[in-house]
Amino acid sequence: MKVLIIGSGGREHAIAYCVSKSKRVDEIYCAPGNAGIAELAECVNIPVMDFDKQVDFAKETGIDFVIVGPDDPLVAGCVDAFEKAGIKVFGPRSNAAIIEGSKAFSKDLMKKYDIPTAAYENFDNAEDALAYLETADFPIVLKADGLALGKGVLICKDLEEAKAGVKEIMLDKHFGDAGNRMVIEEFMTGREVSVLAFCDGTTIKTMTSAQDHKRAKDGDQGLNTGGMGTFSPSPFYTDEIAAFCQKEIYDKTMAAMKAEGRDFVGVLFTGLMLTEKGPKVLEFNARFGDPEAQVVLPRMKNDIIDVMEACVDGRLDEIDLQFEDNAAVCVVLASDGYPVSYEKGFEIKGLDNFEDKEGYYVFHAGTKFAGQKVVTNGGRVLGVTAKGADLKEARANAYEATKLIEFDNKYMRNDIGKAIDEA
Ligand code: AMP
Ligand code: GLY
């Protein structure tokens, strides 16, 4: 079987790793890929948003199965394009990826189907949003409606900050058209958990849980990023909480999307806040999380193609999804200055230390080849993942492994998985 993966980040590298282990796969292609993915797949220089070229390539090459990684192409209809060409593809269609593409849509869906989430109001103009804030409680959360690289969320401690936030999102268009509409919602406190789940439109089966660290600096300080590190499983996501979420959140969401004529096939990512009043949804994403995938996928026992194909064929109920009874931690090595401004193009040394190192992985996020060398090519550069018998061992292993990699400008958080000590 020939598989094409769309994307170029650490998530797609982790997907490519699983695909490379599948006994059913002969050839892997990735568009556009990166220097790490190139070890496992043939990278083809087609941008993630150029669906025509992707489809042409898939036809010419005889691709049997396509996996779409990132949010932008999913929301814009990448899956629809491959389906139209009669090519088997894993991921939600555009009309289902809207669960991530529009926060106003996902909030209205949760309200309509009684799925627990923060109280909110949607706004399509700044005057109404500003008027609403006058009587609101603080802190309060402002969210640009559309896709904003995980950065379109502002937590505002008082009226003044919130007014500035509305201006930033709706008037100054800091996040572009993503800010044509916005959600204003209640501020929640608690532990955050990310739960990824395979979906076939009717059945939803969750993977092992994870926790991300979104802020750039230690102690959850600094700006929101795409994610600076993850651990899996979350010790706070107990069997009892999982059972509640399956019934009140995941199953309800699957049924809600079906009832709306938006059958969800692919990976549904639920960002949860475990509040005093029970688990509530922070957000839905229509894809694997990044860097959640880097700790969840290496622990998956199933052949990923078996599972993804079952999703596309609507027979996920036949799959016994299994994960290893261990733990994994991923520490992101970033370029100093991320997420604001940073230099790139620095040579990365030590990548070969990970070859054949059982239980250790170096997933490439922003890298490229410069001649024979691999150089930094983004804010998030690499995700160093290690497994361990338990979370503490995995964390120690991951931090030890970060020392094997060197590049100028290397930056990482030193407290990934600190919450483990409070479990
Ligand atoms: P989102 O992209 O919606 O997951 O938001 C990014 C981050 O902002 C989340 O991971 C939370 O840490 C925080 N956040 C979002 N919504 C809320 C909320 N209602 N209350 C508290 N924190 C929030
Ligand atoms: N790690 C969060 C995300 O992928 O959106």
Side-chain angles (χ1 to χ4, degrees):
M1 179 183 224
K2 293 183 182 181
V3 175
L4 170 64
I5 300 166
I6 306 293
S8 65
R11 163 185 48 219
E12 287 74 28
H13 194 176
I15 293 170
Y17 164 73
C18 283
V19 173
S20 74
K21 285 197 315 180
S22 169
K23 293 193 180 63
R24 300 175 54 199
V25 175
D26 307 301
E27 289 173 35
I28 312 174
Y29 296 85
C30 188
N34 62 36
I37 295 172
E39 302 264 311
L40 306 168
E42 186 175 320
C43 294
V44 282
N45 195 14
I46 305 174
V48 292
M49 297 302 276
D50 195 337
F51 308 156
D52 289 343
K53 277 213 181 113
Q54 291 163 9
V55 169
D56 286 347
F57 172 80
K59 282 185 184 162
E60 284 159 19
T61 317
I63 297 291
D64 303 290
F65 197 78
V66 181
I67 302 165
V68 185
D71 39 354
D72 287 300
L74 287 167
V75 170
C78 187
V79 166
D80 311 55
F82 280 107
E83 277 187 349
K84 208 168 138 210
I87 299 167
K88 215 166 190 183
V89 52
F90 177 82
R93 291 179 191 147
S94 173
N95 77 347
I98 191 175
I99 200 165
E100 169 166 13
S102 167
K103 289 190 191 284
F105 169 88
S106 80
K107 295 297 290 189
D108 286 346
L109 185 86
M110 288 187 267
K111 186 189 264 179
K112 182 170 171 188
Y113 292 92
D114 197 23
I115 296 163
T117 189
Y120 76 103
E121 293 286 336
N122 293 336
F123 296 93
D124 59 15
N125 70 78
E127 297 79 63
D128 290 350
L130 291 168
Y132 173 84
L133 287 174
E134 295 291 341
T135 56
D137 292 330
F138 294 89
I140 203 160
V141 184
L142 312 185
K143 299 186 175 184
D145 177 54
L147 297 179
L149 296 169
K151 292 164 195 158
V153 174
L154 304 176
I155 295 172
C156 304
K157 67 174 184 314
D158 54 30
L159 180 60
E160 199 183 333
E161 255 187 47
K163 279 181 168 170
V166 168
K167 182 169 175 290
E168 200 176 307
I169 293 174
M170 297 205 95
L171 299 176
D172 301 344
K173 293 283 158 79
H174 211 97
F175 307 103
D177 286 344
N180 290 347
R181 285 205 285 172
M182 68 181 291
V183 177
I184 301 187
E185 73 175 25
E186 166 202 5
F187 176 76
M188 302 188 286
T189 52
R191 300 263 177 207
E192 284 187 43
V193 183
S194 302
V195 179
L196 312 179
F198 286 106
C199 309
D200 72 357
T202 306
T203 302
I204 174 163
K205 291 199 174 183
T206 58
M207 301 176 225
T208 180
S209 61
Q211 184 178 323
D212 191 9
H213 299 65
K214 287 213 167 98
R215 301 297 195 100
K217 300 203 168 124
D218 283 11
D220 291 327
Q221 302 295 308
L223 294 173
N224 260 325
T225 69
M228 292 300 294
T230 37
F231 60 82
S232 170
S234 164
F236 309 105
Y237 189 71
T238 60
D239 290 349
E240 193 190 344
I241 292 174
F244 173 89
C245 293
Q246 185 71 42
K247 184 160 172 273
E248 298 299 328
I249 298 175
Y250 315 134
D251 288 342
K252 273 190 183 175
T253 305
M254 271 298 97
M257 291 298 276
K258 190 175 263 309
E260 297 290 317
R262 298 173 183 275
D263 295 37
F264 191 98
V265 177
V267 170
L268 183 71
F269 168 135
T270 308
L272 292 167
M273 184 78 95
L274 307 182
T275 76
E276 273 183 354
K277 292 188 192 143
K280 294 190 183 187
V281 177
L282 278 167
E283 63 163 346
F284 286 121
N285 294 324
R287 51 169 174 87
F288 283 101
D290 187 344
E292 283 86 344
Q294 289 90 311
V295 283
V296 169
L297 287 178
R299 299 183 53 227
M300 189 167 86
K301 289 186 183 173
N302 305 69
D303 182 318
I304 195 169
I305 297 294
D306 287 347
V307 181
M308 289 183 163
E309 205 172 42
C311 290
V312 179
D313 294 344
R315 45 176 186 77
L316 181 61
D317 58 330
E318 294 169 11
I319 297 285
D320 179 17
L321 200 57
Q322 293 220 357
F323 286 81
E324 292 169 2
D325 183 22
N326 55 11
V329 170
C330 173
V331 179
V332 170
L333 304 184
S335 301
D336 198 10
Y338 172 73
V340 183
S341 64
Y342 46 85
E343 287 179 76
K344 40 192 196 181
F346 297 114
E347 182 180 358
I348 304 170
K349 294 195 184 125
L351 291 167
D352 47 359
N353 288 322
F354 286 79
E355 276 165 26
D356 300 322
K357 201 167 156 66
E358 182 78 23
Y360 291 80
Y361 311 81
V362 60
F363 295 116
H364 292 225
T367 67
K368 67 171 186 183
F369 284 109
Q372 300 289 77
K373 292 178 189 163
V374 177
V375 300
T376 64
N377 190 39
R380 291 190 292 175
V381 177
L382 299 167
V384 171
T385 295
K387 289 185 194 171
D390 58 20
L391 284 162
K392 284 186 179 165
E393 190 180 293
R395 180 177 59 185
N397 291 346
Y399 271 107
E400 200 53 37
T402 61
K403 296 179 191 160
L404 300 172
I405 301 283
E406 278 311 325
F407 57 87
D408 286 352
N409 221 15
K410 171 176 145 185
Y411 172 81
M412 65 182 173
R413 272 184 63 164
N414 294 295
D415 64 346
I416 301 302
K418 189 160 183 286
I420 295 164
D421 301 325
E422 295 150 24

